[in-house]
Each structure stands twice: as C-alpha cells, then as structure tokens.
C-alpha cells in the first residue's frame, strides 16, 4: 500500500512539473492535477493540502538534484574562474529541463511565506557554492557578489525561457562574460 501511495505521489509531482512548465503557476490547479493523473480531486487533497504544499514538495525533491548537477560541474573545473563559469553555464544548460522550468515557474509564482522561505533557502545553498571561488579571486564581499551573480544567472534564465531573439548559447556566453569581467566588456 505504501508503495502505491509513493507511486501516486510521484505521478502527482510529475503532473505538477508538466503543468508548471506548460502554463506557469496558474496552470497548477487541483482539478488539472486530478485530470493529468486520473485520480479523483479528493485524492489529490489526500496528498497535498494546497498548491503551496505541492510547490514545497517539488522544491524539496527537484532543487537538490538540480543543485547537485551544478556542484558536480563546478567540482570538475580547475581554478576559481573556471568554477564560476561552470556555475553559470550549468544552471543555464538546465533551462530546457522540466524540473528546472518548474522551479523557475515556482519562483515567479505567488506563494505563501513558508514556500517562499524554502525556495530562498534552496537558492542560498546554490549561492554559497560560488562564494569560495569569488573569495579566491579576491572579492571583498564574496557573498554579496555571489547574490548579484545569481541575479545575472536568473536574468539569463528568463531571457532563454522567453525565447529571446538571441540564441541560448549567446545569452550563456554573455552571462559568463559578465560573471567573469563585469561590464568592462
């Protein structure tokens, strides 16, 4: 029975990822989840008390996987600059991934304070990965610089998500250049 519940919960999370990546937070409704999974709407409420609870669960499941991929890319890099480049490139490479699109849609959504706090904490973990590399390069305020760098990454993510005029690789190169050289060109 427990295995069946786990399968249904996984199916609900997968449906939530699809709905978020297709239509953003507005698309994530309990009737839509019920339709996607073939479960009764009342069954959806057995697993999650609210949309925010679905979002929190997605963050708890997907964000660590995503962060581990970023961390692995950084671990393979030699030197601080290469680690920073890997930090930017690996996040932007994940843009097409449904898990990533769900996290982006979630970040943009109106969520309750608890869900927002969980997302902030997860992002904090991501940001802390790059602080050491920035300190190694001699930044006086590596934590602040890391937060601003994540802002550049987030802007590049949105640009790629929007299907901007530039190719994703061009956006990635520009984000890496900004991360490594600022606006000095």
């Amino acid at each position: 029975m427990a295995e069946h519940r786990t399968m249904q919960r996984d199916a609900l999370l997968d449906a939530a990822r699809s709905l978020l990546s297709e239509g953003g937070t507005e698309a994530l409704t309990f009737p839509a989840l019920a339709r996607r999974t073939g479960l009764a709407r009342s069954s959806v409420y057995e697993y999650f008390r609210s949309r925010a609870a679905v979002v929190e669960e997605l963050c708890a499941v997907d964000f660590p996987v995503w962060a581990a991929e970023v961390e692995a890319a950084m671990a393979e890099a030699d030197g601080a600059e290469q680690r920073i480049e890997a930090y930017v490139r690996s996040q932007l490479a994940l843009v097409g991934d449904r898990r990533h699109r769900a996290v982006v849609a979630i970040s943009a959504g109106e969520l309750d304070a608890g869900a927002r706090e969980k997302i902030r904490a997860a992002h904090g973990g991501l940001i802390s990965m790059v602080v050491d590399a920035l300190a190694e390069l001699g930044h006086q305020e590596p934590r602040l610089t890391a937060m601003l760098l994540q802002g550049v990454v987030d802007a590049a993510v949105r640009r790629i998500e929007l299907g901007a005029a530039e190719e994703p690789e061009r956006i990635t190169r520009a984000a890496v250049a900004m991360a490594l050289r600022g606006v000095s060109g």
Side-chain angles (χ1 to χ4, degrees), residues 32-139:
L33 282 171
R35 272 193 306 278
R36 284 284 167 103
T37 56
L39 294 170
R41 196 183 319 182
S42 59
S43 296
V44 178
Y45 283 100
E46 288 176 31
Y47 292 91
F48 301 104
R49 67 192 184 291
S50 65
R51 266 175 19 146
V54 177
V55 164
E56 283 183 46
E57 183 76 12
L58 273 177
C59 281
V61 171
D62 290 352
F63 213 97
V65 175
W66 184 38
E69 290 178 36
V70 174
E71 197 168 17
M74 289 177 74
E76 287 176 22
D78 295 322
E81 280 200 7
Q82 290 76 12
R83 287 200 312 279
I84 291 166
E85 180 169 351
Y87 177 82
V88 173
R89 280 190 178 280
S90 59
Q91 287 187 68
L92 297 180
L94 289 166
V95 170
D97 186 306
R98 269 176 357 120
R99 287 167 309 158
H100 180 268
R101 283 208 301 270
V103 171
V104 170
I106 287 163
S107 302
E110 328 76 60
L111 302 169
D112 66 34
R116 268 201 313 276
E117 192 42 54
K118 283 202 166 102
I119 291 168
R120 247 195 307 283
H123 265 105
L126 199 58
I127 288 165
S128 67
M129 286 183 206
V130 80
V131 171
D132 289 344
L134 291 164
E136 218 176 288
L137 289 178
H139 280 275

